[in-house]
Amino acid sequence: MITSEEYKARLRKMKINIIVNGERVEDVTTHPSLALGINTIARTYDCAHEPEFRHLATATSHLTGETINRFDHVNRSREDLMTKIELVRALARQVGGCNQRCVGTDALNAVSVVSYALDQEYGTEYFSRFEEYLRYVQQNDLCLAGAVTDVKGDRSLKCHEQADPDLNLHVVERRRDGIVVRGAKMHITMAPYADELMVIPTQFRGEADADWAVCFAIPTDAKGITQICNGGHVRPRRMEKPFSSRYQGSHSMVVFDDVFVPWERVFMCGEWRYSGWLARLFGDFHRHTYCGCKPAYTDLIMGAAALAAEYNNLEKASHIRDKLFQLIYHAESIYACGVASATLAQKMPSGTYLPDVTIANMGKYHAGLSIHEEIAILQNIAGGLSFTVPSDADYFDNPVSHAYIEKYLKGKADVATEDRLRCFHLCNDLCHSEVATFTMNAGVIGAGPAQAQRITVLADYDLESRKRWAKEIAGIKG
Ligand SMILES: Cc1cc2nc3c(=O)[nH]c(=O)nc-3n(C[C@H](O)[C@H](O)[C@H](O)COP(=O)(O)OP(=O)(O)OC[C@H]3O[C@@H](n4cnc5c(N)ncnc54)[C@H](O)[C@@H]3O)c2cc1C
């Protein structure tokens, strides 16, 4: 397993083609807009070497028997799934939410299941290629972004019906040694500083869209790939933005302009019947992961809210306790879905364990519905100061404003004003920052909007047995 310094050194040697704020990035590792994202990935590497994290952050490779970083692991047991959400929850508390690597990990897990099934049905060799690729990923301790979401164009049209066929990524040429693909993937978290992209179809492709049923892995600096990345604007802080001044994610539109992919990295090519299952499985693994990271953000909201109430000497007020209860309810119910879906996980023929689909989807659904309410609770408990809290410079650098802030922003007598300010800066970061808007958006839309979870659950849920029981009790025959 490598360290964060080795990860950065490797990244420095890559020639990833990225445009941020209109300018081409020369060195990803020193660009100010990308530094905070790299800090987060660095934590995912370093935690695997730390005694207090190691038991969560490492796994045993089923291919080599070696100890590997858990983010490169395919879940081989219920315990693996359980440990994954424990890791994600613990890490998310440190980095202010998203660790960014789960998308790639969840894509690896989905591909492991489907490539095996494809070989059984069609006699292809996708699974052996996949295992070879996984071995390479694990041995080099690579970090992968998951590129699932196409730009999609007109949402009411199928891929081949679009005015421009490139609005969904597709195969434009099949060669003896590989395929050539064209299209663009959108919102791809950590793509600017990932080693590789795992590309899978966004959703089901019908027979006429067989060229769009394609799955492969590719280095981020492969010829023909250009990223257009939403860079953040950061500056050094002292007590402001305790999370978002240290950790943030970057997301790219990743353009594939006739990119060559050798066959050994192709895991689906035209088998359209399996495209929907691959997309759905990715969603199921990813929604299970959300059951770990979303409660962690609620832990942070809860901690900040309870501290703000304490510093205002309101912690015993009954409506405040009701609101704290509501936060506990959300965090622990969502986490319980993660635990339950890991406990009821099913072993797939490939040997990969799939979390219980209904419960994992319910956890993500709950997380998407609750995130705005949770932030509103923190805003409510913290009051206006969470938004208007004076800046670092006003407090530390100007003696006149410092004296007034010290006197007038005192809360409970035995709490230092500076501590109270630090607490409200944390509230500010959790409610009114890039981390906060990222978390709200990721909660609602990431891993698919609520409708995606409804469709998934209703597709397989056994409503017929419920109707039968209702009939029996009501005395309806037939
Ligand atoms: C913070 C963040 C990080 C992300 N990271 C990644 C990542 O790392 N990798 C990745 O692949 N993706 C990532 N995503 C993408 C995410 O999975 C998508 O945003 C999500 O699946 C929705 O797709 P969309 O944004 O294209 O919205 P749309 O598909 O345009 O959906 C918008 C709305 O339209 C509805 N809708 C869409 N099509 C139809 C239709 N045919 N009929 C009826 N209703 C429809 C949807 O239900 C939804 O309500 C990320 C998203 C966010 C916000």
Side-chain angles (χ1 to χ4, degrees):
M1 290 184 301
I2 63 170
T3 63
S4 62
E5 287 313 313
E6 289 167 309
Y7 153 67
K8 287 180 204 168
R10 182 168 66 201
L11 201 55
R12 206 167 289 125
K13 287 194 203 131
M14 294 177 77
K15 295 273 171 272
I16 308 176
N17 185 15
I18 308 174
I19 299 168
V20 178
N21 298 327
E23 284 175 11
R24 174 94 205 278
V25 174
E26 287 305 324
D27 179 357
V28 173
T29 60
T30 55
H31 195 283
S33 290
L34 304 175
L36 304 188
I38 292 174
N39 283 352
T40 305
I41 305 304
R43 278 300 302 137
T44 69
Y45 278 108
D46 287 338
C47 71
H49 300 276
E50 294 164 1
E52 65 276 25
F53 256 104
R54 216 182 132 77
H55 66 291
L56 298 178
T58 61
T60 304
S61 166
H62 70 284
L63 297 174
T64 63
E66 285 169 13
T67 301
I68 55 167
N69 190 302
R70 185 167 290 283
F71 286 108
D72 290 336
H73 186 50
V74 166
N75 299 293
R76 304 292 291 184
S77 65
R78 297 188 175 97
E79 200 186 350
D80 269 340
L81 286 163
M82 188 58 227
T83 311
K84 176 189 76 172
I85 56 165
E86 280 182 66
L87 166 66
V88 167
R89 190 168 183 177
L91 204 50
R93 288 189 198 122
Q94 293 195 342
V95 300
C98 182
N99 71 65
Q100 304 181 40
R101 283 189 66 180
C102 293
V103 193
T105 310
D106 295 333
L108 276 176
N109 275 269
V111 177
S112 76
V113 175
V114 175
S115 57
Y116 183 90
L118 285 172
D119 288 3
Q120 301 307 302
E121 170 126 15
Y122 300 111
T124 45
E125 51 187 48
Y126 293 126
F127 186 63
S128 51
R129 282 181 199 165
F130 171 77
E131 287 211 316
E132 207 42 53
Y133 175 69
L134 184 63
R135 193 186 303 268
Y136 167 74
V137 168
Q138 293 178 344
Q139 286 180 340
N140 291 283
D141 206 352
L142 300 182
C143 60
L144 272 59
V148 184
T149 310
D150 281 293
V151 287
K152 293 194 289 227
D154 181 333
R155 269 64 173 159
S156 70
L157 297 178
K158 298 198 166 58
C159 301
H160 71 280
E161 295 169 344
Q162 300 279 344
D164 180 349
D166 302 342
L167 290 172
N168 293 282
L169 185 135
H170 62 129
V171 180
V172 290
E173 192 185 341
R174 286 175 169 76
R175 294 186 193 162
R176 202 175 41 78
D177 50 350
I179 56 174
V180 178
V181 296
R182 192 186 304 149
K185 295 283 185 178
M186 193 67 208
H187 322 294
I188 308 308
T189 303
M190 74 169 275
Y193 34 83
D195 294 301
E196 301 245 339
L197 300 161
M198 176 58 89
V199 179
I200 69 177
T202 307
Q203 56 204 25
F204 173 73
R205 309 300 187 202
E207 190 169 4
D209 286 337
D211 282 344
W212 285 264
V214 60
C215 167
F216 58 89
I218 188 97
T220 37
D221 62 353
K223 189 162 173 272
I225 295 182
T226 302
Q227 297 191 31
I228 300 160
C229 172
N230 68 338
H233 297 277
V234 289
R235 61 183 166 86
R237 317 264 189 165
R238 282 165 282 186
M239 63 180 164
E240 297 167 11
K241 312 282 184 207
F243 279 120
S244 53
S245 62
R246 285 185 290 160
Y247 302 109
Q248 271 184 37
S250 291
H251 316 273
S252 285
M253 176 164 86
V254 184
V255 179
F256 294 76
D257 195 357
D258 289 355
V259 174
F260 174 73
V261 188
W263 281 118
E264 57 268 25
R265 281 166 163 269
V266 178
F267 313 119
M268 170 186 279
C269 186
E271 294 83 1
W272 57 274
R273 281 195 180 81
Y274 281 77
S275 56
W277 193 39
L278 178 53
R280 263 184 62 181
L281 276 182
F282 161 73
D284 296 334
F285 279 109
H286 202 42
R287 289 165 200 157
H288 177 249
T289 306
Y290 264 70
C291 297
C293 65
K294 284 291 159 279
Y297 202 77
T298 316
D299 290 337
L300 297 170
I301 290 178
M302 196 189 299
L307 201 60
E310 184 188 321
Y311 287 0
N312 285 343
N313 208 2
L314 281 175
E315 65 204 295
K316 296 202 174 67
S318 65
H319 78 98
I320 301 255
R321 293 194 62 76
D322 288 349
K323 290 181 174 77
L324 292 173
F325 171 85
Q326 190 70 2
L327 293 173
I328 297 168
Y329 155 67
H330 288 313
E332 301 312 336
S333 306
I334 295 165
Y335 193 64
C337 287
V339 174
S341 53
T343 308
L344 298 175
Q346 195 190 336
K347 185 177 181 182
M348 303 304 281
S350 67
T352 304
Y353 271 73
L354 173 68
D356 181 273
V357 169
T358 300
I359 304 175
N361 274 272
M362 286 305 178
K364 166 61 185 58
Y365 183 75
H366 186 154
L369 292 187
S370 64
I371 183 66
H372 289 104
E373 185 197 340
E374 293 171 29
I375 287 181
I377 288 175
L378 178 55
Q379 288 168 329
N380 203 315
I381 291 180
L385 192 58
S386 76
F387 190 68
T388 60
V389 57
S391 68
D392 277 346
D394 288 342
Y395 185 68
F396 289 116
D397 300 341
N398 183 314
V400 176
S401 50
H402 177 88
Y404 283 137
I405 292 167
E406 193 61 35
K407 173 178 164 65
Y408 287 110
L409 289 186
K410 185 89 186 153
K412 198 176 166 191
D414 61 355
V415 176
T417 302
E418 182 177 329
D419 288 347
R420 186 162 179 261
L421 288 180
R422 286 186 181 278
C423 169
F424 281 84
H425 273 297
L426 174 61
C427 296
N428 175 282
D429 210 9
L430 294 169
C431 296
H432 310 289
S433 68
E434 296 214 7
V435 163
T437 49
F438 167 83
T439 305
M440 283 188 265
N441 218 301
V444 174
I445 284 289
Q451 185 61 6
Q453 287 107 69
R454 288 191 201 103
I455 290 169
T456 304
V457 169
L458 285 170
D460 292 330
Y461 200 78
D462 183 9
L463 279 175
E464 285 309 311
S465 67
R466 273 63 177 179
K467 278 180 12 197
R468 232 177 18 253
W469 297 330
K471 276 183 171 177
E472 268 173 38
I473 292 164
I476 299 168
K477 297 203 168 56

